[in-house]
């Protein structure tokens, strides 16, 4: 702490004089004419925010009838889903000034500066109303105050000032405060109580249609060949955020330049998905032949178990070209349409699919490798969730034994049960995974010839597409 202060104090003198003084130009930013049309997908969020736009256009319509707009609206969702973009679009649509600041800026400041910055911000906003005040990453200042001595004074003062300002102006002044966060559960309850940020707009990861639209929006910025199938790309990029999709399009353009072409192709886009999701191809990474064979069997094991269970998504593509992310093999599963609910059977099948890689090693190679560590983690997570969160076990029925504490960042969980119950859960998780592992092994044993045939193909070609896979699988021989 003291070191930080010294460093700052050693900086240019002007900084000292500016301390606590308003510096008007800092905040006013144009939203660069961003409109709702620039935000693809997210129809529900846009619909929600349309009301705000309408209000900013004509506050009188609302005050005449006695309705007041919420002062604060919280945009919540995982990183890269377009929260910042949406906030700018609201300002762009309403054609009002956009005051923006980021929560993380305050963490780095002199004590007292944060609070005075907040004060200035609101003072200016009120003068410029109707307008939008946007606080990005509000969790950086709005974390729950834990009351321990020596906590982050600066953050707390800034938060208090923000609360004071929000209470200080009446509704219907034409100032709308938008804030964004991907950790809503860490916010201080004082921030989310009625009269402050009492409206929440979820901004979720895009579904298939949303992904296709986002790709199209960003594809307008680059030159593409005419045969590009956006739906196909969107299917392959299942789970990608808007920011990742934008990145995929840009990577495709870069790839085209590298290849000396003047436009990007379907192949560029497909390869970019893998680059963005799985890291760059290690062109000269060396895998021994034996390793390559093991990885081939491992990946085919997953795919074969998935394909043989009717409810599992079919395989789009498998490659055994190593990626910088460290993954040796890579399976691209394709979900047909979107899934909101998963049945018990589907989860069990998924666990079986995760164990399929290891099962294939056991059967074909006769020894096991470290290559299954991620599979083990995923399978365990699912099995655990079935018992502790989804009420899918006989023994515990519909009792919640775990709660998700961090919904948008990885979904950490915390246990809420006694030590004895915990022991019992552990035992059940093991039994569940074991059962599915046995099932996967049986499926592979029943299809031993196909397992060999497919693994050989993958070993030789290093890549196998879903179509090729199904052709070999269904080929009567
Ligand atoms: P967040 O604030 O939720 O982390 P951003 O709004 O900063 O995400 O998004 C980063 C970038 O990703 C945007 O500038 C845009 O290029 C792209 N992006 C994200 N979501 C969308 C979307 N729904 N439509 C179009 N582009 C998007
Ligand atoms: Mg953002
Ligand atoms: Zn695996």
């Amino acid at each position: 702490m003291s070191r930080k202060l010294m460093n700052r104090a050693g900086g240019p003198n002007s900084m000292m004089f500016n301390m606590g003084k308003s510096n008007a130009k800092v905040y006013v930013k144009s939203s660069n004419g961003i409109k709702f049309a620039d935000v693809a997908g997210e129809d529900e969020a846009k619909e929600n925010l349309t009301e705000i736009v309408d209000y900013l256009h004509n506050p009188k319509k609302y005050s005449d009838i006695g309705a007041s707009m919420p002062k604060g609206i919280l945009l919540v969702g995982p990183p890269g889903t377009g929260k910042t973009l949406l906030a700018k679009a609201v300002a762009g649509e309403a054609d009002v000034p956009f005051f923006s600041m980021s929560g993380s800026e305050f963490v780095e400041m002199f004590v007292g500066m944060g609070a005075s910055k907040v004060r200035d911000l609101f003072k200016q906003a009120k003068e410029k109303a109707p307008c939008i005040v946007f606080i990005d990453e509000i969790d950086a200042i709005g974390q729950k105050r834990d009351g321990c001595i020596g906590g982050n004074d600066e953050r707390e003062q800034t938060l208090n000032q923000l609360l004071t300002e929000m209470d200080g102006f009446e509704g219907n002044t034409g100032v709308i405060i938008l804030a964004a966060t991907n950790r809503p559960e860490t916010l201080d309850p004082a921030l989310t109580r009625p009269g402050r940020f009492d409206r929440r707009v979820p901004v979720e990861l895009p579904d298939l249609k949303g992904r296709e639209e986002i790709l199209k929006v960003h594809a307008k910025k680059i030159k593409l060949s005419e045969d590009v199938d956006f739906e196909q790309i969107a299917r392959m990029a299942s789970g990608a955020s808007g920011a990742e999709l934008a990145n995929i399009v840009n990577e495709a353009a870069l790839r085209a330049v590298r290849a000396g072409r003047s436009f990007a192709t379907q192949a560029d886009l497909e390869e970019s998905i893998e680059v963005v999701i799985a890291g760059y191809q290690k062109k000269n990474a060396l895998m021994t032949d034996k390793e390559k064979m093991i990885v081939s069997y491992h990946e085919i094991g997953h795919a074969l178990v998935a394909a043989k269970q009717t409810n599992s998504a079919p395989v789009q593509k498998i490659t055994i070209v190593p990626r910088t992310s460290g993954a040796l093999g890579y399976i691209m599963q394709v979900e047909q349409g979107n899934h909101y609910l998963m049945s018990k059977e589907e989860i069990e099948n998924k666990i079986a699919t995760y164990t399929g890689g290891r099962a294939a090693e056991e059967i074909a190679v006769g020894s096991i490798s470290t290559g299954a560590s991620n599979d083990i983690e995923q399978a365990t997570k699912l099995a655990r969730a079935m018992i502790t969160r989804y009420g899918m076990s006989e023994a515990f029925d519909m009792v919640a034994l775990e709660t998700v504490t961090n919904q948008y960042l990885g979904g950490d969980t915390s246990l809420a049960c006694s030590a004895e119950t915990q022991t019992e859960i552990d035992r059940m998780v093991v039994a569940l995974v074991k059962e599915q592992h046995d099932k996967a092994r049986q499926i592979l044993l029943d299809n031993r010839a196909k397992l060999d045939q497919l693994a050989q193909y993958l070993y030789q070609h290093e890549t196998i597409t879903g179509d090729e896979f199904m052709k070999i699988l269904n080929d009567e021989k």
Side-chain angles (χ1 to χ4, degrees), residues 298-299 302 354 357 371-372 375:
H298 180 105
E299 299 303 336
H302 285 306
Y354 279 126
D375 303 334

Side-chain angles (χ1 to χ4, degrees), residues 155-221:
R155 208 190 62 212
E156 215 158 284
Q157 286 190 24
T158 310
L159 175 57
N160 283 334
Q161 189 63 38
L162 181 61
L163 297 177
T164 312
E165 292 293 343
M166 285 191 83
D167 290 343
F169 69 90
E170 294 299 312
N172 288 340
T173 50
V175 180
I176 295 277
I177 309 164
L178 296 177
T181 180
N182 40 37
R183 324 184 44 168
E185 72 290 333
T186 66
L187 290 182
D188 197 294
L191 264 179
T192 48
R193 80 153 170 70
R196 288 169 184 160
F197 290 101
D198 52 2
R199 190 183 282 190
R200 256 177 206 229
V201 176
V203 187
E204 301 289 352
L205 285 173
D207 59 8
L208 178 63
K209 194 165 141 278
R211 290 198 302 274
E212 189 179 339
E213 284 168 15
I214 294 172
L215 283 168
K216 282 181 179 160
V217 163
H218 289 279
K220 280 186 201 138
K221 298 173 197 159

Side-chain angles (χ1 to χ4, degrees), residues 86-143:
L86 268 169
K88 287 183 183 166
V90 172
E93 290 283 337
D95 198 21
V96 297
F98 183 71
F99 296 84
S100 118
M101 62 181 212
S102 166
S104 55
E105 287 168 24
F106 290 101
V107 183
E108 290 284 297
M109 256 180 236
F110 272 129
V111 174
M113 279 278 276
S116 78
K117 228 184 156 184
V118 170
R119 209 177 307 127
D120 288 347
L121 181 66
F122 278 85
K123 186 161 162 274
Q124 289 178 39
K126 277 181 260 182
E127 284 162 8
K128 287 264 166 56
C131 68
I132 286 188
V133 173
F134 178 54
I135 307 171
D136 212 351
E137 301 168 54
I138 193 171
D139 42 283
I141 46 171
Q143 264 171 39

